[in-house]
Amino acid sequence: MEQLQELHTRAMSACAAAVAQATPADLSRPTPCAGWTLADLLAHMTAQDRGFAGAARGAVTTADDWKPQYHGDDAITEYAEAAADVQRAIAEDGVLERGFVIPEFATDRLIKGPNAVRAHLIDAVVHGWDVARTLGAGYVLDDEVLAESLAIAESIPDADDRGGFFSRAVAADPVAAPLDRIVAHLGRSPSRPD
């Protein structure tokens, strides 16, 4: 397995472990994503995981296929199934050589495999942090995942229009821990209380 695929698997495992700590009673909790409850966040994450899994396998989808769907008290289970599926799909041989159809990014071109995997990896890292902060739970990523994630985060320009995916960067100490720098660059306050 290529190194990027392995890092993706490890990032997804950490994210899934954070979600696994949730219960249906937590679904109404507010998250670091402005205006979103945990139910909203899991609906988004589940849709993204299903979309990326399909794209990794060569499916041609439309924007409607990527819209979040709500699953009530089954939201945690639905997410776990989608997360396991996208891990399997991105771990497949040849994924990095494929082009992904991702309507949220572009409708007129394929996204190169490594770029698509990096996009999903950073999404998993940041949303895993969102979930952990929502639950007041720990969130641990290994140094290699953090290094790759920081490089990805810092490659995303800080602008008013970040494609609707992330908010403007917030201030963070340049010598802060890598995870704090990642989430700050992508619009979250690292000091948000657990």
Side-chain angles (χ1 to χ4, degrees):
M1 181 185 301
E2 297 285 342
Q3 175 72 2
L4 179 58
Q5 290 167 287
E6 173 62 25
L7 294 175
H8 177 271
T9 295
R10 284 150 49 190
M12 281 299 302
S13 293
C15 182
V19 175
Q21 297 175 73
T23 68
D26 296 315
L27 293 173
S28 61
R29 287 186 182 214
T31 71
C33 304
W36 281 14
T37 64
L38 184 58
D40 298 321
L41 179 57
L42 290 179
H44 165 77
M45 292 165 67
T46 300
Q48 291 293 304
D49 287 357
R50 288 186 175 142
F52 271 93
R57 293 181 175 121
V60 176
T61 59
T62 68
D64 285 342
D65 297 317
W66 293 68
K67 286 184 178 174
Q69 296 179 3
Y70 290 83
H71 301 284
D73 286 352
D74 293 330
I76 297 159
T77 301
E78 290 285 336
Y79 166 78
E81 291 171 0
D85 189 41
V86 77
Q87 284 186 64
R88 287 189 300 268
I90 289 182
E92 290 175 6
D93 290 342
V95 162
L96 299 181
E97 286 73 50
R98 296 179 194 152
F100 286 46
V101 177
I102 304 177
E104 291 183 328
F105 294 169
T107 57
D108 59 346
R109 62 186 168 83
L110 295 175
I111 307 302
K112 292 180 179 179
N115 293 339
V117 173
R118 285 185 184 97
H120 192 264
L121 187 155
I122 196 64
D123 202 53
V125 165
V126 173
H127 287 324
W129 181 89
D130 290 331
V131 171
R133 282 299 171 108
T134 298
L135 300 174
Y139 185 53
V140 179
L141 297 163
D142 66 66
D143 290 345
E144 290 179 315
V145 170
L146 287 169
E148 180 69 22
S149 300
L150 183 58
I152 295 167
E154 290 180 341
S155 74
I156 300 170
D158 183 23
D160 286 331
D161 179 13
R162 294 176 115 182
F165 301 109
F166 299 108
S167 301
R168 292 294 305 260
V170 299
D173 189 328
V175 295
L179 186 55
D180 287 350
R181 291 163 57 202
I182 291 164
V183 299
H185 188 73
L186 299 178
R188 286 129 168 99
S189 173
S191 62
R192 181 186 191 273
D194 288 343

